[in-house]
Amino acid sequence: MEVAQGLVMTSSFAKPVTFSSYADHGYNDKEELIPTQVNFFFEQGVARLNPSLTMEGSSNRTKSNDLAAFIAEKNVTRTVTITGTHSPEGTERINSNLAEDRAKAIEDFYRRQMKRYDYKGMSDSIKFILKPVVEDWSSLKTALASYDGIAGPDKSKVSGIVNGTGSFEEKEKELQKLSFYDKLLKEVYPGLRTAKTEILTVKPKKSNAEIAVLSKQVVSGDVKADTLSFEELMFSATLTPSLDEKAGIYKAATKSGKWQAHNNLAAVYLDQAAKAEGSAKTKLVQDAVTQLEIAANKSQSAMVSANMANAYIMQSDWAKAMDAIGKAEGASPSNKTASNVAGMKGSIQLMQGNYEAANASFVN
């Protein structure tokens, strides 16, 4: 039974929703590790480092000097991983400790250099990882792939043996029967007698506090703009809750000419406009549009279009806002930007009384 006629007044009570979208600063303030690699080579059957032995265009002496100079810099180091290997021929295989001894030789060298350069307590925080690789064909397979001393069919013969059945010793004996075995022994095997060293050092970075201080000095002109990288400067804006300070930082960043800086400056203006009224709000929105037009000329980013929609909503220009939303949707927005766009789109549809479409937008 119908009780009474009614009116749907939802659209008249609905208010526009706006979201500002900030481009990522691209800076990682967490600890990052930098790998440094150096490979030492050994003579057949020994774990003693011969300074004169030359492989890969450089002698062990040169590599030792370079590593010593690296250690002297006292970089903050987390790990030193040394992988000792041996070539597969009998004289190498018989010494089951050869691979480990080669790795240990490099560890001993490294520790002597730390003592020489007075590492003191620093050495206790460095973890040495020795990884002896024994009776393994991986290195030979890798070396063979780049070796042009034998033809493809001969390489296939080697692969057939090492990938076949039988023990390591049995496979090596089969290799010795190949007509080109001497080439392997003289030209490939020497490169397999190694101690491959990887050193992970901490990437030097400014502290967040230092970045915040320098950022203020960049904005005030007390230090040069390149005192901070673009990424550091953009990141510094996230370290302050003040919209005024953020605006100053992003304004300084726009001197780089990058769209992200113009977009983020516009986003701050829009956030300020959301709290302002009257002529102050009008000016902030227009300033945001100006920055977004610059950004759009540099990049057709979904984020820029989303912020433009934000500005048009604040100007109550629903047609232009929906057009900007359409551009944002068609520019592969991130999940965050897509969510912002959907919220703004739904609020406009709701105010226009298009409830079904609004519901679909809010669901998305």
Side-chain angles (χ1 to χ4, degrees):
M1 179 179 68
E2 184 177 303
V3 177
Q5 292 282 341
L7 295 175
V8 178
M9 301 293 293
T10 305
S11 60
S12 62
F13 293 110
K15 300 293 182 183
V17 174
T18 58
F19 299 97
S20 297
S21 298
Y22 287 83
D24 184 70
H25 46 73
Y27 179 73
N28 182 3
D29 66 328
K30 303 298 187 292
E31 180 176 286
E32 292 183 85
L33 299 178
I34 303 173
T36 298
Q37 283 113 6
V38 56
N39 297 336
F40 291 94
F41 293 88
F42 296 81
E43 293 175 305
Q44 186 180 43
V46 300
R48 180 183 60 82
L49 200 61
N50 181 350
S52 301
L53 184 61
T54 299
M55 292 287 293
E56 298 182 342
S58 181
S59 69
N60 282 336
R61 177 179 288 106
T62 298
K63 293 176 181 178
S64 296
N65 291 339
D66 290 344
L67 181 56
F70 178 85
I71 296 170
E73 294 175 357
K74 292 187 176 180
N75 301 288
V76 178
T77 303
R78 293 290 179 244
T79 62
V80 178
T81 302
I82 309 169
T83 303
T85 67
H86 66 84
S87 53
E89 77 278 11
T91 52
E92 289 275 301
R93 180 180 50 77
I94 290 172
N95 189 346
S96 61
N97 294 323
L98 191 56
E100 183 174 4
D101 289 344
R102 286 171 172 170
K104 190 67 169 62
I106 303 306
E107 179 189 11
D108 291 343
F109 172 81
Y110 202 109
R111 290 188 181 280
R112 287 197 303 272
Q113 297 305 311
M114 288 195 297
K115 185 175 181 180
R116 175 185 178 186
Y117 294 112
D118 196 23
Y119 263 56
K120 294 183 179 178
M122 291 176 62
S123 60
D124 295 334
S125 64
I126 300 175
K127 183 179 181 180
F128 282 84
I129 303 170
L130 303 189
K131 298 170 65 176
V133 178
V134 181
E135 296 193 351
D136 184 274
W137 295 106
S138 300
S139 295
L140 176 60
K141 292 177 183 179
T142 301
L144 199 62
S146 60
Y147 177 60
D148 57 10
I150 59 176
D154 288 338
K155 289 185 179 182
S156 296
K157 291 179 182 179
V158 175
S159 297
I161 292 173
V162 300
N163 292 328
T165 58
S167 67
F168 190 90
E169 183 177 358
E170 289 170 341
K171 291 178 182 180
E172 167 54 20
K173 286 181 178 179
E174 287 299 312
L175 290 178
Q176 291 178 19
K177 297 176 183 178
L178 297 174
S179 60
F180 51 88
Y181 177 75
D182 282 349
K183 276 197 167 187
L184 295 179
L185 185 62
K186 295 177 181 178
E187 299 177 15
V188 178
Y189 283 12
L192 308 181
R193 305 162 189 152
T194 67
K196 298 179 179 180
T197 307
E198 181 180 71
I199 307 156
L200 294 182
T201 55
V202 177
K203 182 178 180 179
K205 293 184 181 182
K206 303 177 184 69
S207 68
N208 287 0
E210 185 179 4
I211 289 175
V213 170
L214 290 173
S215 174
K216 290 181 179 180
Q217 293 175 335
V218 168
V219 172
S220 65
D222 293 335
V223 298
K224 294 181 179 179
D226 61 2
T227 301
L228 293 176
S229 69
F230 174 76
E231 292 76 15
E232 287 172 331
L233 185 57
M234 292 284 283
F235 169 69
S236 71
T238 68
L239 301 177
T240 174
S242 168
L243 290 176
D244 288 340
E245 290 183 0
K246 288 179 187 290
I249 292 169
Y250 288 133
K251 188 173 183 179
T254 60
K255 295 177 182 178
S256 68
K258 296 185 178 182
W259 73 267
Q260 294 92 333
H262 291 283
N263 176 82
N264 288 12
L265 179 56
V268 172
Y269 287 156
L270 291 172
D271 283 343
Q272 290 177 318
K275 299 180 179 182
E277 295 181 358
S279 60
K281 179 173 184 173
T282 300
K283 183 178 185 307
L284 284 166
V285 174
Q286 188 53 55
D287 287 345
V289 170
T290 299
Q291 292 301 317
L292 291 170
E293 288 173 344
I294 296 173
N297 286 331
K298 297 176 180 294
S299 173
Q300 297 300 311
S301 167
M303 195 171 293
V304 175
S305 295
N307 282 329
M308 193 68 85
N310 183 345
Y312 288 140
I313 289 174
M314 288 190 179
Q315 292 175 334
S316 300
D317 193 331
W318 315 127
K320 285 186 177 181
M322 289 298 286
D323 181 62
I325 286 171
K327 289 180 180 179
E329 290 175 329
S332 301
S334 66
N335 290 339
K336 175 66 174 177
T337 301
S339 177
N340 289 350
V341 168
M344 292 187 290
K345 183 178 181 179
S347 72
I348 294 174
Q349 292 167 331
L350 189 61
M351 289 188 298
Q352 294 175 335
N354 193 346
Y355 304 124
E356 186 174 343
N359 182 64
S361 294
F362 290 137
V363 169
N364 291 333

